[in-house]
Amino acid sequence: MPALPTIAVLVSGRGSNLQALLDAIARGDLAVRIAGVFSDKADAPALQRARDAGVHAEAIDPREFPNRLAFDQAFFARVDATRPDLIVCAGYMRLISEAAVEAHRGTLVNIHPSLLPAFKGLRTHAQALAAGAAEHGASVHFVTPDLDGGPVIAQARVPVRPGDDVEALSRRVLEREHPLLVATVGLLAAGRARLDGDRILLDGAPLAAPLQLGANEGFA
Ligand code: GRF
């Protein structure tokens, strides 16, 4: 039997996206092996979720390093030691140095809670509400040195409803983040989607616009 594609997951907090990946693997809906979960926060609940599933999990404290570059060298040395085919930032809240990003170009992806290129950075749900957006959602993109600006592979959209506050809107988005991440990691791990220069190839053909998650939790 051929070996399963291997992924590493980077986390900083709650870990609900990590849990979605673990659950999909357990159900047999995602054919990957998580080789390790890595965090910049020792108290991230995500680490316990990994351990509960029997997955190696470790944290490295940035305060033990003189600067971002030194931390990233040590951190990614640990990640790379698991020889991942794909590295998934799932709520990893730390900026990654350009050197580490470039060293992992094409294998590093992130889930961001907005319909990129709209609402980069933090507090995206508040940004969407303040802008009066009619629609909001989440994107999975390749990480490039341009923060939240790398090519977008796939998105999930939700409506913004009258009366929404940050909590209601973030809950609606998060519910769609989980199937979005599972479906996108599935495509990437299967080698169907990949970065080619600045564009994405899907089944060998340039992707003109991000894939959109359908109601069936697959891509239309
Ligand atoms: C998610 O909204 C993700 O898009 C963003 O950070 C949040 C992480 O949530 N990057 P969780 O830790 O996966 O529950």
Side-chain angles (χ1 to χ4, degrees):
M1 204 167 73
L4 284 175
T6 301
I7 69 173
V9 185
L10 312 190
V11 297
S12 297
R14 178 178 55 186
S16 70
N17 278 288
L18 168 67
Q19 192 68 56
L21 295 172
L22 291 166
D23 292 348
I25 293 168
R27 285 195 309 269
D29 288 346
L30 181 60
V32 305
R33 183 174 70 85
I34 302 184
V37 171
F38 298 87
S39 181
D40 59 330
K41 303 260 190 245
D43 59 356
L47 292 169
Q48 193 56 46
R49 293 182 189 260
R51 291 177 185 131
D52 288 347
V55 171
H56 168 82
E58 67 178 84
I60 302 182
D61 186 348
R63 290 170 299 193
E64 288 173 12
F65 297 85
N67 54 46
R68 186 175 305 282
L69 200 57
F71 170 76
D72 276 356
Q73 270 168 1
F75 187 78
F76 280 95
R78 299 293 301 152
V79 174
D80 293 343
T82 65
R83 307 189 61 91
D85 298 303
L86 181 69
I87 303 171
V88 181
C89 299
Y92 183 65
M93 301 308 288
R94 194 176 163 79
L95 287 176
I96 302 174
S97 57
E98 188 164 340
V101 169
E102 289 295 3
H104 298 88
R105 204 180 170 90
T107 61
L108 189 58
V109 298
N110 177 50
I111 182 158
H112 178 83
S114 80
L115 296 173
L116 290 170
F119 313 130
K120 296 178 177 177
L122 297 173
R123 296 184 303 280
T124 57
H125 309 303
Q127 289 189 54
L129 289 171
E135 228 185 4
H136 188 40
S139 306
V140 180
H141 64 94
F142 282 104
V143 178
T144 67
D146 178 12
L147 183 66
D148 298 331
V152 177
I153 308 152
Q155 296 179 319
R157 318 180 89 86
V158 302
V160 179
R161 299 226 165 92
D164 269 351
D165 57 11
V166 165
E167 202 188 312
L169 186 55
S170 64
R171 207 178 313 120
R172 194 174 307 126
V173 171
L174 192 66
E175 235 168 61
R176 299 302 286 156
E177 284 189 36
H178 298 159
L180 173 69
L181 188 62
V182 168
T184 310
V185 167
L187 273 185
L188 291 161
R192 292 189 52 202
R194 63 183 177 86
L195 190 64
D196 177 53
D198 289 334
R199 62 184 188 167
I200 292 167
L201 297 182
L202 178 69
D203 296 330
L207 188 65
L211 296 167
Q212 301 295 319
L213 190 74
N216 63 355
E217 306 197 343
F219 297 117

